[in-house]
Amino acid sequence: MSKSSYLFTSESVSEGHPDKVCDRISDAIVDAFLTGDPQSRVAVETLTTTNRIVMAGEVRGPADIDAARMEAIARAAVKDIGYEQDGFHWKNAKVDCYVHSQSSDIAQGVDAAGNKDEGAGDQGLMFGYACRETDVLMPAPIHYSHAILRSLAEARHSGAESGLGPDSKSQVTLRYEDGKPVGATSVVVSTQHNEGLSQQDVREIVRPHVVNILPEGWMCPEEQFYVNPTGRFVIGGPDGDAGLTGRKIIVDTYGGAAPHGGGAFSGKDPTKVDRSAAYAARYVAKNVVEAKLADRCTIQVAYAIGVSHPLSVYVDTYGTGKVDEADLAAAVQKAMDLTPRGIREHLGLNKPIYARTAAYGHFGRHPDADGGFSWEKTDLVDALHNAL
């Protein structure tokens, strides 16, 4: 194949996947703290296994959000996902909480004091990406992988497909011609199901959710449509495999179609640039593409712990840019304050808006009226043009 004609694959996992259960619990705790005090500091990790939930981390915020409250939050999250199974049940699981107060050494580096502005919560590099492959300016393979699982989850929650369980995975391989996606060559869906359903039964339950999500004419050949390839998926979720917060960072972002800095999002308040700067980078990249300054755009920002301004801002438009990349990098920094405080205030991140991000991707979603997914807005277009 030529360089412009190739196959590319991305995967997604559902809200009931063991790692995503952990992301949901951690983000629900972030939301609880931000509800009580928008300036709370939270870094909470969760582990799940057979009827066991363990939370650990450090926090600074309302004193009434104690171990008992966090246990209740965890159980409510698991119940909402839909786990009422012998091996993992929201009511019967044992919950341990090892969350403690934030380190004073970290706090003094992050907090604003005197002439010092609020610093980054850690060193690191974050990436944002946007392209014209879908109407939400996301790479097509991850976009459709997420959408298939969301469709299955909505059917399960509504009762339309009562035979499905919470745990599922999808994988979509698309064929690209002249650099543009034109159809699926294979689709893989593995979904937890009730004991009485056969592999063929599950295949026919899943089929319309794939056909209806993919654009017309994009369905893969029948022999490349794989549903529960092992033949059986009754034992699932944390009973089938242990889960950890932050272990699906490629699923959370661009499905491998763009670089990743390595930092996870879930369980972290917005002073952590792992989360907030990755959101800002996506916001800027999306607005660059929306402004017709490029057809594809990657933004990288880098920070040092305790330092407010980014150490570098890098822009790559893959030869599709309408302006010089150095000029675009300068314009980005004029159009938006990329300090931790500037990002939080511009995007309104000190709100309880994070539990909803824990599954089906942090990007490519539609902005919510209460400020959720604010980084998906395209309201920076004029500022970018003015800066140029």
Side-chain angles (χ1 to χ4, degrees):
M1 290 186 185
S2 69
K3 190 175 180 181
S4 63
S5 298
Y6 54 89
L7 304 181
F8 194 84
T9 303
S10 295
E11 71 157 349
S12 181
V13 297
S14 73
E15 66 205 67
H17 184 280
D19 297 329
K20 283 290 149 200
V21 173
C22 296
D23 286 347
R24 172 69 174 274
I25 292 170
S26 294
D27 275 338
I29 291 171
V30 172
D31 283 354
F33 273 94
L34 293 177
T35 298
D37 178 1
Q39 303 305 316
S40 291
R41 301 286 191 264
V42 187
V44 171
E45 313 285 345
T46 305
L47 175 148
T48 57
T49 185
T50 301
N51 267 335
R52 190 71 173 263
I53 300 169
V54 182
M55 295 172 286
E58 58 172 34
V59 296
R60 187 176 79 199
D64 64 335
I65 306 178
D66 55 11
R69 177 87 175 274
M70 284 186 267
E71 176 180 339
I73 290 168
R75 293 190 189 279
V78 173
K79 182 180 182 181
D80 188 62
I81 292 169
Y83 276 111
E84 295 185 341
Q85 301 168 4
D86 290 343
F88 195 69
H89 196 297
W90 66 270
K91 188 175 182 180
N92 301 330
K94 179 174 171 42
V95 179
D96 295 313
C97 185
Y98 300 101
V99 177
H100 57 82
S101 297
Q102 184 186 53
S103 160
S104 58
D105 289 349
I106 292 177
Q108 72 175 0
V110 176
D111 292 345
N115 293 326
K116 174 186 172 298
D117 195 7
E118 176 185 305
D122 202 352
Q123 70 177 43
L125 49 142
M126 300 83 206
F127 288 93
Y129 179 75
C131 63
R132 295 196 183 279
E133 293 180 16
T134 61
D135 60 354
V136 291
L137 304 186
M138 283 288 286
I142 188 68
H143 175 72
Y144 294 123
S145 293
H146 286 323
I148 289 166
L149 294 187
R150 289 194 72 162
S151 180
L152 286 168
E154 288 166 2
R156 177 175 61 85
H157 281 296
S158 72
E161 297 293 355
S162 58
L164 300 181
D167 191 0
S168 59
K169 302 177 75 172
S170 64
Q171 185 171 284
V172 175
T173 300
L174 297 184
R175 183 176 76 258
Y176 284 71
E177 295 180 359
D178 296 325
K180 297 179 180 179
V182 296
T185 61
S186 68
V187 175
V188 185
V189 179
S190 295
T191 180
Q192 191 179 13
H193 59 89
N194 291 350
E195 183 80 44
L197 292 177
S198 69
Q199 184 182 21
Q200 187 61 31
D201 292 335
V202 178
R203 183 184 185 88
E204 295 313 312
I205 289 172
V206 168
R207 184 188 300 277
H209 295 276
V210 176
V211 172
N212 293 337
I213 289 299
L214 293 176
E216 186 175 357
W218 278 36
M219 184 61 180
C220 64
E222 185 66 17
E223 64 273 16
Q224 298 296 318
F225 177 42
Y226 302 98
V227 176
N228 286 7
T230 64
R232 175 182 165 89
F233 189 2
V234 174
I235 299 172
D239 187 29
D241 191 12
L244 290 170
T245 299
R247 204 159 56 173
K248 286 292 178 286
I249 57 177
I250 300 302
V251 170
D252 286 342
T253 53
Y254 307 103
H260 196 294
F265 301 159
S266 291
K268 299 174 182 177
D269 73 77
T271 66
K272 277 68 170 174
V273 285
D274 276 347
R275 177 168 226 158
S276 57
Y279 290 173
R282 160 65 179 173
Y283 173 68
V284 171
K286 185 175 183 179
N287 276 269
V288 166
V289 174
E290 181 69 19
K292 297 182 172 54
L293 298 172
D295 292 331
R296 291 175 65 199
C297 182
T298 288
I299 305 284
Q300 185 211 57
V301 288
Y303 295 86
I305 188 169
V307 178
S308 58
H309 287 278
L311 306 181
S312 65
V313 176
Y314 165 83
V315 178
D316 185 357
T317 57
Y318 305 91
T320 70
K322 308 302 188 289
V323 297
D324 181 77
E325 288 170 343
D327 292 340
L328 189 53
V332 163
Q333 295 173 82
K334 290 179 183 177
M336 183 176 180
D337 180 355
L338 291 172
T339 65
R341 182 196 299 275
I343 292 169
R344 289 189 299 104
E345 291 180 352
H346 189 110
L347 296 178
L349 298 180
N350 285 94
K351 298 174 182 177
I353 55 175
Y354 298 105
R356 71 193 74 171
T357 69
Y360 313 117
H362 292 245
F363 307 129
R365 311 282 286 272
H366 295 290
D368 294 328
D370 66 353
F373 301 104
S374 59
W375 48 94
E376 291 298 311
K377 292 181 178 180
T378 53
D379 55 2
L380 197 68
V381 168
D382 289 342
L384 286 169
H385 281 299
N386 292 337
L388 286 164

